[in-house]
Amino acid sequence: MRVAAIFGLILAWGATAFAAEGSRGTLLLASTTSAENSGLLAHLLPRFEAASGIRVKVVAVGTGQALKLGERGDADLLLLHDPPNEAAFLARGFGLERREVMANDFVLVGPRADPAGIRGGRDAVAALAAIAARKAPFLSRGDESGTHALERALWRRAGIDPTRAGGWYRETGSGMGATLNTAAGLAAYTLADRASWVTFRNRRDLEILVEGDPALLNVYSLVLVSPIRHPHVRIAEARAFADWLGGPEGQAAIAAFAIDGRPLFRPIARPPGGS
Amino acid sequence: MGEIGEAAATALRLLRSADPELFAIVALSLEVSLTATGLAAAIGLPLGALLAVARFPGRGALVLLVDAGLGLPPVVVGLLVYLLLSRAGPLGELGLLFTPTAMVIAQTILVTPIVAALARRAVADLLEDYHEHLTSLGLRPLAAVPVLLFDARYRLATACLAGFGRAAAEVGAILIVGGNIRDHTRTMTTAIALETSKGALEQALALGFVLILVVLAVNLAAAGLSTMARRIEG
């Protein structure tokens, strides 16, 4: 009896301590890690919140996991960088619409010693072929993220299946930061998105070796989760954020975000009405 | 060694600067882990005592299950709670995913077997010592549970502290069900994981030192309370 009373008390305390704040005016954004870890969202969200009164809660995960969260109705809005899988998500009826909002690029990074001799190249596919030919250590995200998807597409274009190639190709199965930490430790090559690379603080011997290939374009899009599949989704708030980020104010805020004086993302949203 | 020393200096600087975001993170860590430990104690202490004194079919299996629960992988618990609380899951209607409540639920599941297993040991030991005494008083073992729990209170406090340590240190479960949302579900351990992923190893380790200090403070407080209690009891 007494135990039940104590249990009840603790439960009641727990419930009041964590009483869910009003869900009105909040929005859950599942975002690719680079947008969060680079500080971009910390730069954008206070501006949006001041303009709209809508509070945005960010869960930073890889694009694959973000798509899964959207599919299960656990997020209202997704910020992703994997166009083919975004299209598939929409085709399967989980997404209402997709808006391209910003872009930058991917870079091939590797050890300063550069055993595969790819430094200065502008052809990512040729660089991967050179790494494979030298059997130089290469780390793959291996986590179904947008970066992982592009990396696999590049290997396909090189006509190489690295997963069957032997010990030089390794999958970390983790996020960009963890993979860069491992690459720094192993002096391995890896593909990184520009924002994660620029804001990464533990580079050790790593540097950019290949950049500037159009195939390394990195497009970020907002995908609205469909309220037809998940009626509880906060579509009005999600649309408000998409409109703001794609509009002049949000696009200017993206352009103004810089690290060490250099902009990290390029605004690319089309003006409303045009398509 | 230089990096570790710098991290320690950063930790001190963080504490001295009284950074409100850091304090909010520390407060949430304590709130979640202490609530989970409280709930786990409410379930685990009676359960452990019951397993020590009562004899019923299936007891052996339950003891094994509780003992095995000591090795419950946080990431698996996180995944199970996620699937339960996800909108597409059986409890999705509650909208608890990515809230501190979800983190409390996951940690309660992790901590309860620890408290229950250690409580069972403590009560079973006492029961062995007191067996004749209890029989002579004519008390049935089940009726003796409150007395046994009271007499074992210092060891049970240690069981709860062990449970709290587990909760405060884990990141696998709360990262999945809490989402590491800034100003909402970010705790010490998820913040450390985040800083590590940014390659900000010094900042990550500095937060780690702060976490160790916080856990130390909780244990110190518990030790102080127990000394005080012993003194009052004479």
Side-chain angles (χ1 to χ4, degrees):
Chain A
M1 197 51 224
R2 209 173 61 184
V3 170
I6 293 172
F7 183 72
L9 265 176
I10 294 177
L11 208 64
W13 175 66
T16 48
F18 297 121
E21 55 190 279
S23 58
R24 183 178 292 275
T26 70
L27 165 67
L28 200 116
L29 170 69
S31 164
T32 176
T33 42
S34 51
E36 167 78 347
N37 288 9
S38 64
L40 173 73
L41 289 175
H43 167 81
L44 294 177
L45 295 183
R47 289 166 169 77
F48 170 68
E49 288 170 5
S52 68
I54 297 168
R55 161 128 200 269
V56 183
K57 293 190 250 176
V58 179
V59 176
V61 289
T63 291
Q65 203 184 337
L67 285 167
K68 198 78 198 166
L69 288 176
E71 193 179 312
R72 300 180 59 93
D74 293 327
D76 305 306
L77 185 63
L78 315 174
L79 179 57
L80 311 163
H81 66 143
D82 184 358
N85 277 317
E86 290 156 21
F89 184 80
L90 261 78
R92 286 163 64 216
F94 291 112
L96 193 63
E97 58 182 83
R98 169 179 177 271
R99 292 190 206 173
E100 299 187 346
V101 288
M102 60 191 189
N104 55 19
D105 60 345
F106 291 97
V107 292
L108 253 175
V109 303
R112 193 167 300 140
D114 188 20
I118 63 169
R119 186 193 313 275
R122 293 190 141 260
D123 183 339
V125 172
L128 288 185
I131 290 169
R134 274 303 298 261
K135 299 197 185 307
F138 183 93
L139 290 184
S140 167
R141 293 275 295 275
D143 64 348
E144 304 298 324
S145 60
T147 307
H148 184 213
L150 179 84
E151 180 224 307
R152 278 188 302 192
L154 292 173
W155 285 115
R156 270 197 302 278
R157 283 178 52 190
I160 296 167
D161 181 358
T163 56
R164 294 164 170 271
W168 58 271
Y169 182 85
R170 292 178 197 163
E171 293 188 0
T172 61
S174 42
M176 192 72 258
T179 302
L180 282 170
N181 277 326
T182 312
L186 294 176
Y189 294 95
T190 194
L191 183 70
D193 67 277
R194 170 86 60 181
S196 295
W197 170 256
V198 168
T199 51
F200 187 68
R201 294 281 160 240
N202 181 38
R203 293 179 192 165
R204 293 172 195 256
D205 224 18
L206 294 181
E207 51 187 53
I208 292 179
L209 297 172
V210 174
E211 60 186 325
D213 183 338
L216 293 176
L217 179 68
N218 184 17
V219 174
Y220 291 83
S221 303
L222 281 175
V223 171
L224 279 70
V225 175
S226 169
I228 299 158
R229 290 285 186 128
H230 297 290
H232 65 269
V233 160
R234 297 197 262 289
I235 187 67
E237 286 88 345
R239 200 179 284 285
F241 183 65
D243 286 345
W244 181 85
L245 194 62
E249 216 183 317
Q251 293 285 291
I254 289 172
F257 178 67
I259 299 276
D260 301 331
R262 289 163 70 177
L264 224 49
F265 298 89
R266 190 157 44 81
I268 59 163
R270 295 187 194 90
S275 74
Chain B
M1 264 333 269
E3 283 174 328
I4 296 173
E6 274 168 38
T10 308
L12 284 178
R13 219 171 25 249
L14 275 173
L15 285 174
R16 261 212 308 269
S17 71
D19 176 27
E21 188 167 353
L22 176 71
F23 279 135
I25 288 173
V26 171
L28 182 69
S29 297
L30 283 174
E31 215 171 328
V32 167
S33 295
L34 286 174
T35 308
T37 308
L39 287 171
I43 304 165
L45 294 179
L47 177 65
L50 191 73
L51 289 175
V53 301
R55 294 291 174 269
F56 53 89
R59 176 185 163 276
L62 200 55
V63 167
L64 191 69
L65 208 67
V66 165
D67 283 351
L70 291 170
L72 213 51
V75 66
V76 175
V77 171
L79 202 53
L80 285 172
V81 174
Y82 167 74
L83 290 173
L84 282 177
L85 298 183
S86 164
R87 285 288 180 172
L91 302 178
E93 289 294 309
L94 301 177
L96 287 177
L97 191 65
F98 303 136
T99 63
T101 310
M103 297 154 80
V104 169
I105 292 169
Q107 291 200 337
T108 303
I109 294 171
L110 275 172
V111 174
T112 300
I114 296 177
V115 176
L118 295 177
R120 185 184 71 80
R121 287 278 152 74
V123 173
D125 287 354
L126 264 185
L127 197 61
E128 228 163 74
D129 296 348
Y130 288 6
H131 191 67
E132 278 179 25
H133 192 55
L134 289 175
T135 336
S136 72
L137 283 175
L139 265 178
R140 289 196 5 258
L142 219 51
V145 161
V147 182
L148 288 168
L149 279 177
F150 181 75
D151 273 11
R153 61 192 174 283
Y154 294 113
R155 279 182 68 184
L156 297 181
T158 307
C160 291
L161 279 177
F164 170 75
R166 161 89 147 173
E170 77 89 20
V171 62
I174 53 171
L175 194 56
I176 296 177
V177 302
N180 189 27
I181 298 170
R182 190 176 177 193
D183 300 333
H184 186 53
T185 56
R186 185 161 296 168
T187 66
M188 297 298 296
T189 54
T190 61
I192 292 167
L194 175 67
E195 292 304 328
T196 306
S197 81
K198 291 199 271 193
L201 304 188
E202 190 191 306
Q203 179 78 7
L205 190 57
L207 288 172
F209 285 142
V210 174
L211 175 60
I212 291 170
L213 284 178
V214 168
V215 172
L216 205 65
V218 169
N219 279 274
L220 206 66
L225 280 177
S226 128
T227 313
M228 240 162 61
R230 275 175 213 268
R231 214 167 274 159
I232 291 167
E233 284 162 13

